[in-house]
Structures are given as C-alpha cells and as structure tokens.
C-alpha cells in the first residue's frame, strides 16, 4: 500500500477520532476528547493514502530529555497489514531523533508488532522498579511531578490505576 506520512493538521482531528474510536471501544486505547487532540495535534503524524484519506495516526510525546512515548497509534482496518504502522513508526522515530531523544517507550497490546520494530518488553518503572536502568531516582522524582496521565502510567503512580488497560510496557533505544 502506498502511503505518505506527514505532520497532522487541525483538520485531521475528525479523522484521528474516527481511527481511534474502535480501539477505545475495545479498551485497547484510551479515549481522548477533541480538545485534547487539538491541544496535542503537533505531536501527531498521519498516514495518508493516494486518495488523500487518512488511514493511520500516531503521536510522539516527550517525557524527559532523552525519553519519549509513542502514543495513540491506530491504523484503519482496511489498511492493516500493509506497512502503514511501520511507516508511522518510522516517521515518529525520525521526529524523536530530531528532538534528540535516545529512547522510546510505549504501552501496547501489539507486542509482536513493536517487537519487530525493535522494542523490548520492560518491567514496571516505579521508584522501586526492578529495572532501575530505565530512569534514575532523580528523574523519577521530577517526572512524578507531572500532571500528565501518560507519565503517571509510565511511572506506575498511585494516582492512576497501574497500567490502566492491562497492556505491556516496551522500550526501544534509538
């Protein structure tokens, strides 16, 4: 399938909502209000087919100096298995490198897909985590001050249910 990936525009918010809605209904992705999508549109890229239809989306959210999170990756059912997800991840990784990020984190049910593109399963990241090499205690303390629910889930903070959807934490070094 021939797609191009470009930065999302405010006019794409309706298409992004349509792409993620089936995954929200299945409790695979967390829902996002339109106001949140508009406010974070600069984090999104979209995959567009030759007819100009948005067939995929994904976002890159910076968590820390060297760490970003891949969020809200969704591909239209008719376009799955055709390289759209890989194209989105390639674009998001390019953006991460441009920003100077060295590692990417995601929470996903699609462990096989993310594993194929270089992500590894990691344990919990909390202050008493078994994987202290992910972040230092000092960075943990700084991130714990964030009001972002995605950061809270990354850190497994008590103010959100740990790993709300029951998906897998994965990490990739760039």
């Amino acid at each position: 399938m021939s797609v191009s990936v470009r930065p999302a525009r405010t006019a794409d918010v309706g298409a992004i909502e349509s792409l993620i809605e089936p995954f929200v209904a299945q409790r695979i992705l967390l829902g996002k209000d339109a106001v949140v999508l508009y406010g974070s549109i600069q984090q999104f890229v979209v995959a567009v087919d030759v007819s100009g239809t948005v067939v995929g989306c994904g976002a890159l959210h910076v968590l820390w100096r060297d760490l970003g999170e891949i969020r809200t990756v969704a591909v239209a059912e008719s376009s799955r298995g055709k390289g759209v997800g890989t194209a989105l991840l390639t674009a998001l990784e390019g953006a991460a490198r441009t920003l100077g990020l060295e590692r990417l984190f995601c929470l996903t049910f699609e462990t096989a897909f993310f594993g194929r593109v270089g992500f590894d399963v990691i344990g919990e990241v909390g202050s008493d985590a078994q994987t202290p090499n992910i972040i230092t205690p000092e960075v943990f303390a700084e991130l714990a001050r964030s009001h972002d629910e995605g950061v809270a889930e990354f850190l497994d903070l008590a103010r959100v249910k740990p790993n709300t959807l029951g998906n897998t934490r994965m990490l990739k070094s760039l």
Side-chain angles (χ1 to χ4, degrees):
M1 172 171 221
S2 178
V3 296
S4 59
V5 177
R6 63 165 171 76
R9 304 174 186 134
T10 56
D12 297 322
V13 166
I16 292 169
E17 286 178 310
S18 294
L19 284 168
I20 66 174
E21 190 280 324
F23 297 102
V24 172
Q26 297 172 44
R27 296 192 37 78
I28 293 172
L29 289 176
L30 293 174
K32 291 184 174 26
D33 292 327
V35 68
V36 173
L37 291 171
Y38 283 113
S40 60
I41 197 67
Q42 71 280 5
Q43 298 176 4
F44 276 84
V45 295
V46 292
V48 180
D49 68 13
V50 293
S51 72
T53 302
V54 174
V55 296
C57 66
L60 171 65
H61 181 75
V62 176
L63 295 175
W64 196 248
R65 177 185 59 83
D66 65 335
L67 179 65
E69 181 182 6
I70 300 296
R71 292 182 172 179
T72 321
V73 175
V75 175
E77 187 173 351
S78 61
S79 299
R80 292 184 201 145
K82 299 178 180 177
V84 175
T86 301
L88 289 165
L89 258 290
T90 298
L92 292 168
E93 286 180 15
R97 285 185 177 90
T98 297
L99 291 170
L101 300 178
E102 298 169 4
R103 299 173 299 156
L104 292 175
F105 163 78
C106 69
L107 281 168
T108 185
F109 288 105
E110 299 295 334
T111 55
F113 168 74
F114 280 95
R116 282 193 305 273
V117 295
F119 283 76
D120 295 308
V121 174
I122 61 171
E124 294 181 2
V125 184
S127 60
D128 60 344
Q130 306 256 331
T131 52
N133 59 329
I134 295 171
I135 57 172
T136 66
E138 295 81 18
V139 171
F140 179 91
E142 287 294 323
L143 286 174
R145 298 166 70 192
S146 172
H147 296 289
D148 183 284
E149 294 303 318
V151 173
E153 283 200 1
F154 170 70
L155 297 177
D156 197 22
L157 297 179
R159 72 170 193 245
V160 296
K161 288 192 304 184
N163 201 353
T164 303
L165 299 175
N167 43 17
T168 301
R169 289 175 167 85
M170 299 184 80
L171 189 72
K172 179 178 183 173
S173 294
L174 298 176

